Amino acid sequence: MNAQDPGVVELWLLEAAAVPVGPAELDGLDEEEHRRAGRFVRDADRAVYLAAHVALRHVLGRRLGLAPGALAFGREPCPGCAEPHGRPRLVGAAAGALHFSLSHGGGRVLIGLAGAPVGVDVEPLPGADSVEVLASTLHPVEQVELANVRPADRPGAFARLWTRKEAYLKGLGIGLGRPPAADYLGTAEPARRPAGWAVTDVPAGPRHAAAVALAGGGAAVDYRLRHSLG
């Protein structure tokens, strides 16, 4: 088992279609994962979900020296309501100081492992119509910043901002139970960003945006990025 450097986040940005998902891998998922997979209407969305959870178990199992199917997951209390739907965590023999986060979107999977609470997010770039609708949900200063971006560049700017916001909220363990307008994650005024957290963009190619957030980090997250499970 490799030790986790407490100051570094290990990231895996994967193509969902490249993750091996066969009968053996699916047998390693638990009842709740299979139940959630069954709720997807679109086969493509179900396939990405399954690939993401197979990949997460592979990464965590290799780190902990356990079979992927031997891992058990729970939830920490939500910081907003104290109900058990906060950050995901390992339970049982695998529980310890290893924190993790998982995101999937637009055919991509992003996994983060850290020695402190961590959140990750990956999203496809939205259409211009979606940006126009969702911009009103942002922090007021973020709305001004976005409005100053030329229209052709707005989808990319919005996606980068949104993934920073989601990564931070997932790191908190509250997700979008906290209004997107409550926190500033823009770039023009870094001093406005949430105290005690470092939030950094992750390169994800021309059609996606991604970000990572780390509790107790400095000005930026120190991360190592991999693009395969090998």
Side-chain angles (χ1 to χ4, degrees):
M1 178 174 67
N2 297 322
Q4 175 71 44
D5 184 333
V8 177
V9 179
E10 293 190 48
L11 296 174
W12 284 259
L13 180 60
L14 310 168
E15 293 288 346
V19 176
V21 181
E25 288 80 14
L26 293 177
D27 283 346
L29 301 182
D30 63 26
E31 183 178 338
E32 178 61 19
E33 287 168 313
H34 282 290
R35 184 182 301 115
R36 287 179 177 271
R39 293 175 184 162
F40 286 96
V41 175
R42 297 178 65 243
D43 290 344
D45 294 335
R46 184 182 306 109
V48 172
Y49 173 90
L50 291 170
H53 284 258
V54 165
L56 176 65
R57 284 179 173 273
H58 177 91
V59 167
L60 289 172
R62 185 170 57 186
R63 169 55 55 83
L64 296 167
L66 295 171
L71 300 171
F73 299 103
R75 290 276 182 174
E76 295 184 359
C78 170
C81 66
E83 293 296 320
H85 52 242
R87 276 193 306 268
R89 63 183 179 88
L90 290 159
V91 298
L98 183 62
H99 298 262
F100 65 92
S101 184
L102 171 67
S103 176
H104 49 87
R108 297 282 183 89
V109 174
L110 182 60
I111 297 167
L113 267 57
V118 62
V120 300
D121 192 54
V122 61
E123 305 277 353
L125 268 58
D129 290 346
S130 296
V131 173
E132 186 174 347
V133 170
L134 292 171
S136 63
T137 69
L138 299 174
H139 186 283
V141 180
E142 295 170 344
Q143 293 186 41
V144 173
E145 290 181 22
L146 190 63
N148 288 332
V149 175
R150 65 176 188 165
D153 295 334
R154 232 168 256 162
F158 175 86
R160 288 187 292 275
L161 171 58
W162 191 263
T163 55
R164 289 195 294 271
K165 194 174 292 284
E166 286 240 36
Y168 166 65
L169 294 176
K170 288 171 72 174
L172 284 181
I174 197 167
L176 290 175
R178 181 175 173 88
D183 305 286
Y184 174 80
L185 274 303
T187 56
E189 301 183 37
R192 284 181 177 264
R193 287 191 175 185
W197 285 82
V199 185
T200 298
D201 294 341
V202 175
R207 293 185 294 276
H208 292 76
V212 56
L214 181 67
V221 179
D222 185 6
Y223 65 82
R224 300 188 185 113
L225 181 61
R226 298 174 174 86
H227 293 282
S228 74
L229 293 174

